[in-house]
Amino acid sequence: MIGLEGIAYGGDYNPEQWPREVWAADVRLMRQARVNLVSVGIFSWALLEPEPGRFDFDWLDEVLALLHGGGVRVDLATPTAAPPAWLFRADPSARPATREGHRHGGGTRQSFCPSSRSYAEAVTRITTALGHRYGRHPALALWHVHNEYGGVNAVCYCEACAQGFHRWLADRYGDLDGLNTAWGTTFWGQRYGDWAEISPPRAVPIPVNPAQELDYLRYANDVHRANYRRERDLLRELSPGVPITTNFMIANCREMDYWAWAGEVDVVANDHYLQAERRDNHIELAMAADLTRAVAGGRPWLLMEHSTSAINWQRRNIAKRPGELARNSLAHLARGADAIMFFQWRASMFGGEKFHSAMLPHGGTGTRIWREVADLGAVLSDLAELRGTTVSADVAIVWDWQSWWALELPWHPSADLNYRERIEAYYTALWRAGVQIDFARPESDLGRYRLVVVPSLYLTTPAAAANLRAYVEAGGTLVVSYFSGIVDATDTIHPGGHPGALRELLGCVVEEFLPLHAGERITLDGGLNADQWAEDLHPCGAEVVHRYLDGPAAGQPAITRHRVGRGTAWYVSTSLDAAGTGSILSAAGRDAGLGDPTTGLARPGSVEGVELVRRSGAGRDYLVAINHTDTTVRLPIAGHDLLADRPCTALDLPAGGVRVLRLPGPAASPR
Ligand code: GAL
């Protein structure tokens, strides 16, 4: 996709932080580490255009020439995430406004209003200039538009945004009657007689209309997307044939609906940083990578940023231990990444990120990190043949950003309701059982999956409900967790009793939500434990699989199973602990014909803590095996060890080690 021979390897390169003498050494060291792609110019606007309309491209010309001479390709950024100070001096309203009405200050990046006209004009000028100058540069492999849309200034509450919101609403609802009905403005006397009466959901002492909040998030997502498109379309014209992308923060940015962004980029690029303090953070990494692959439509994607070791912006920035850098990078690669890139090439000496790790640490090439970076470069060149191969899965988890937004609006039954926590609970149980997982949108075709898990899909559109039903009728196995199917796209309750959109499919009705006290634990029959949530659940067609033994619903059904058409729909009305989640997924997995009937989901011979992921393509199957345990593991898998370049009859994985095998025989056909 980006015209490189093998796996792309490199990072953000910010030469402007260094004197010219360093640049040649940088390129020499890049070659040593087998870096073949760097992202340049991400925050360089103030240097490239020191005054409005006056450009200085000399230094960038020189950098690109050096990189080109060294055989390093360039992912050239438009620097529009960091507008120069002159923009705000001339137009203070180009700063974003907070919910409370304060304008952001300066001295940092990403501090612009996404609806600002002066910002848009300046963006057009710098993007056009860059496109003209470098659009056909021989080093150019990819355009990196902006940086992390929605990262800091996802939602702005200023007057320009309010006016844009009015136009967006008029477009969505046609007229004010449509809006008043959709928003339920008869509640609390909010009926609007003019678009201009509607404000962004600014700070007020009690919650703003939830439908208004939800639409404002949709609008904000669209504003950023339109900004991206403006730059992309300029570059398409000026730089024909060169792929264009922007770096997403899939799984960790709540505000951007990446399903809506997916079709806008030529190749999906993602940034991922570990939650450093978590000991199981490699599972969250796998989840983010699987979700990124889903956003990429199953095609290979680019890991645009991750860290070689510690980052600088969490509470405790735990450094990676020896070998972790390679494990993390290869886990992304296993799950479909065709590029392994870092923030950043050379550690900064000043500024807010001077304690962030880099490929080349402050200590230079005599450091462990540098050695691991150089080793990884060699490993990736040995894995070139994996480029373009894909991953397939039998199990999918439904993920929906808009449902995430809606679920976490205020004044819901419990503060414990947490969309990502539920998703992760199910993902983790599947990961531990060694199951390969895809993510899917609620409305997408699910027919290729044996098992589909729907954690807390609070906002369920009629189209999504019909899609889930069709999936089960055709023979699929569905597991739905509590607080799903409750409202439609306008945050209006589906009628007839909860979960309105899914009641008939699940064959049960919830009379009342029974959130638990903080720390309260409850038990179910069959040795299952849960917390946070219970329900007054009544079957209307479903069989009862487990009952509550205690808590507010003692004696009542807790988990049900409903045969519909050729398939089965499970309902889990409580927040099961890890063991309980695993056991229900195993039972549902048996319905789905997955895994081993005696062990449930776990594949025969799989070892917990050993990640095994297959990539296939062009008639070949590859297995990436990562040992996250602290003991050596031997698995009866034969193949050609690509890193040692020799055949092996069994897979020996040292503690913390990674192996990549080319498996014998033709690729298994993806089902
Ligand atoms: C990313 C950002 C990079 C760098 C990095 C540090 O969010 O895109 O520019 O700041 O975080 O972890």
Side-chain angles (χ1 to χ4, degrees), residues 12 14 42-43 109-110 144 147-148 247 249 271 273 305-307 311-313 343 353 356:
D12 286 13
N14 297 307
I42 300 179
F43 302 112
R109 65 180 181 186
Q110 284 158 309
H144 179 300
N147 190 68
E148 296 187 338
N247 47 344
M249 297 163 283
D271 297 350
Y273 290 93
E305 291 180 23
H306 72 314
S307 70
I311 55 165
N312 65 303
W313 43 266
F343 175 83
E353 295 185 319
H356 197 292

Side-chain angles (χ1 to χ4, degrees), residues 260-278:
W261 282 79
E264 307 284 3
V265 293
D266 294 328
V267 55
V268 164
N270 196 45
D271 297 350
H272 182 265
Y273 290 93
L274 288 182
Q275 295 176 14
E277 287 194 66
R278 280 176 58 170

Side-chain angles (χ1 to χ4, degrees), residues 62 128 166 224 236 301 380 499 574 622:
E62 203 176 316
T128 308
H166 300 153
H224 287 284
R236 273 218 176 122
W301 49 277
L380 294 176
T574 185
Y622 299 92

